[in-house]
Amino acid sequence: GVLPLCRQPPAWGRAAWQSPGPLQSPGLPLAPCRAFSNNKILVELDESSGVAMMKFKSPPVNSLSLDFLTEFCISLEKLENDRACRGVIITSNVPKIFSSGLDITEMCGKSTEHYAEFWRAVQEIWLRVYGSNMVTIAAVNGSSPAGGCLVALSCDYRIMVENPKFSIGLNEAQLGIVAPFWFKDTFVNVVGHRVAERSLQLGSLHSAAEAHKIGLVDELVPEEKLQERAVAVMAEWLALPDHARQLTKSMMRKAVLDRLVAHREEDIQNFISFISKESIQKSLRRYMEMLKKKK
């Protein structure tokens, strides 16, 4: 299952990830940048600034499969447990796409046990990113529909590449599925009730310019400036005392987080009964066929 993995990072991960104390490495300077890479995610921590760069590298579209979510979870846990890390910039290593969102193959023709495990992993990643003690910045360097948009929405700040070809939004309605209440809450808290209501009902995907106009992303930059700008914004956020910022963030987000925690099992059951409906399975199959044709 996903939870044991997420809650208890493997011992080797924890040990390798903690910086060696002076006793362990006499006379050896600490490497300024430590990296760990899994199959689908690359993480590099710059110890001098306390900033980690997390890059999604699961071609073709960084879809949020169960494996991807588990790895994402473990990577975040390692960073949260590392005293040297104060902030994380989340971006993509795959051209033109940040993340295409939830992996539809995980929701099509599988067992109820599988649906439960998958949905718990989706919940877990949101709880972790939205509730993180670290400063989280999404450097959105490609399109980011549905679950990809949720990952960006869950961060403290969003910078997107100014490119008319890239879009972002919670477009679940287009696939005939409904964004859960916690997706909706996160969206409302960013763009306001009216914009969220219209956007969710229409399953809108917003161009980068539109996304900026409605406040879905905080700023737009040319592609070549994205990383540099994300690092500069991170420095502004890290200039504040951590505890004051963390307590403020917790105060702002606690009610939304608590709502899912209180209704977690019920939310999983709702997802299972919804996704198991033949009509929903049919529309997901249709969507997958359409994607195959596009290729």
Side-chain angles (χ1 to χ4, degrees):
V2 171
L3 275 184
L5 274 174
C6 292
R7 289 278 152 78
Q8 299 156 329
W12 55 263
R14 176 76 206 213
W17 183 237
Q18 294 300 55
S19 47
L23 291 172
Q24 292 158 275
S25 52
L28 282 177
L30 271 182
C33 180
R34 277 181 298 168
F36 64 87
S37 181
N38 301 312
N39 296 325
K40 299 174 188 298
I41 294 174
L42 170 70
V43 181
E44 298 161 326
L45 173 63
D46 178 345
E47 295 198 331
S48 57
S49 65
V51 179
M53 186 71 72
M54 182 184 280
K55 295 176 180 167
F56 297 159
K57 55 172 187 91
S58 183
V61 290
N62 292 329
S63 59
L64 305 176
S65 63
L66 187 53
D67 287 350
F68 186 100
L69 290 164
T70 305
E71 221 172 90
F72 191 179
C73 206
I74 291 170
S75 301
L76 276 171
E77 175 115 33
K78 284 181 183 179
L79 293 173
E80 289 275 4
N81 287 336
D82 191 316
R83 288 204 189 94
C85 185
R86 297 173 62 209
V88 59
I89 296 167
I90 300 175
T91 193
S92 166
N93 229 10
V94 178
K96 300 184 186 141
I97 191 91
F98 179 71
S99 165
S100 66
L102 302 184
D103 187 336
I104 292 178
T105 61
E106 300 280 12
M107 302 187 274
C108 218
K110 300 278 199 292
S111 67
T112 47
E113 291 75 26
H114 183 87
Y115 295 146
E117 187 181 14
F118 176 64
W119 198 246
R120 193 179 296 278
V122 178
Q123 292 176 334
E124 186 73 18
I125 209 63
W126 176 76
L127 290 167
R128 282 187 178 280
V129 180
Y130 200 64
S132 177
N133 267 326
M134 300 180 287
V135 175
T136 52
I137 292 178
V140 183
N141 52 343
S143 289
S144 195
C149 178
L150 181 76
V151 171
L153 280 171
S154 305
C155 292
D156 296 312
Y157 198 82
R158 285 158 288 287
I159 307 168
M160 188 166 180
V161 166
E162 203 167 351
N163 182 329
K165 292 188 178 139
F166 297 163
S167 59
I168 183 168
L170 293 177
N171 62 322
E172 280 77 357
Q174 285 190 33
L175 321 187
I177 55 183
V178 179
F181 71 85
W182 40 285
F183 281 52
K184 180 269 298 175
D185 290 345
T186 313
F187 197 33
V188 167
N189 287 350
V190 172
V191 300
H193 199 279
R194 174 64 194 131
V195 172
E197 181 180 62
R198 187 179 63 222
S199 186
L200 283 168
Q201 287 194 59
L202 294 172
S204 306
L205 281 175
H206 305 279
S207 67
E210 260 175 47
H212 184 236
K213 194 173 150 198
I214 64 173
L216 174 50
V217 297
D218 296 298
E219 57 180 284
L220 300 177
V221 295
E223 186 137 24
E224 66 278 6
K225 294 263 162 65
L226 180 66
Q227 197 157 333
E228 180 191 325
R229 184 62 193 138
V231 169
V233 170
M234 180 62 84
E236 286 169 24
W237 282 67
L238 291 181
L240 279 88
D242 281 346
H243 65 279
R245 182 192 52 73
Q246 287 163 350
L247 289 168
T248 306
K249 179 174 180 174
S250 169
M251 174 176 71
M252 297 299 292
R253 297 189 170 192
K254 190 174 185 307
V256 180
L257 289 159
D258 285 353
R259 196 172 157 208
L260 177 60
V261 172
H263 298 283
R264 206 165 169 181
E265 293 310 316
E266 189 188 328
D267 182 60
I268 291 172
Q269 292 313 315
N270 286 344
F271 172 75
I272 294 170
S273 63
F274 183 78
I275 215 74
S276 304
K277 286 193 174 88
E278 188 40 48
S279 58
I280 302 300
Q281 286 291 311
K282 207 162 148 185
S283 74
L284 289 177
R285 284 195 297 269
R286 202 178 308 131
Y287 187 71
M288 278 160 70
E289 283 305 313
M290 190 186 82
L291 288 180
K292 275 183 198 142
K293 283 189 187 120
K294 270 189 186 169
K295 282 175 196 167

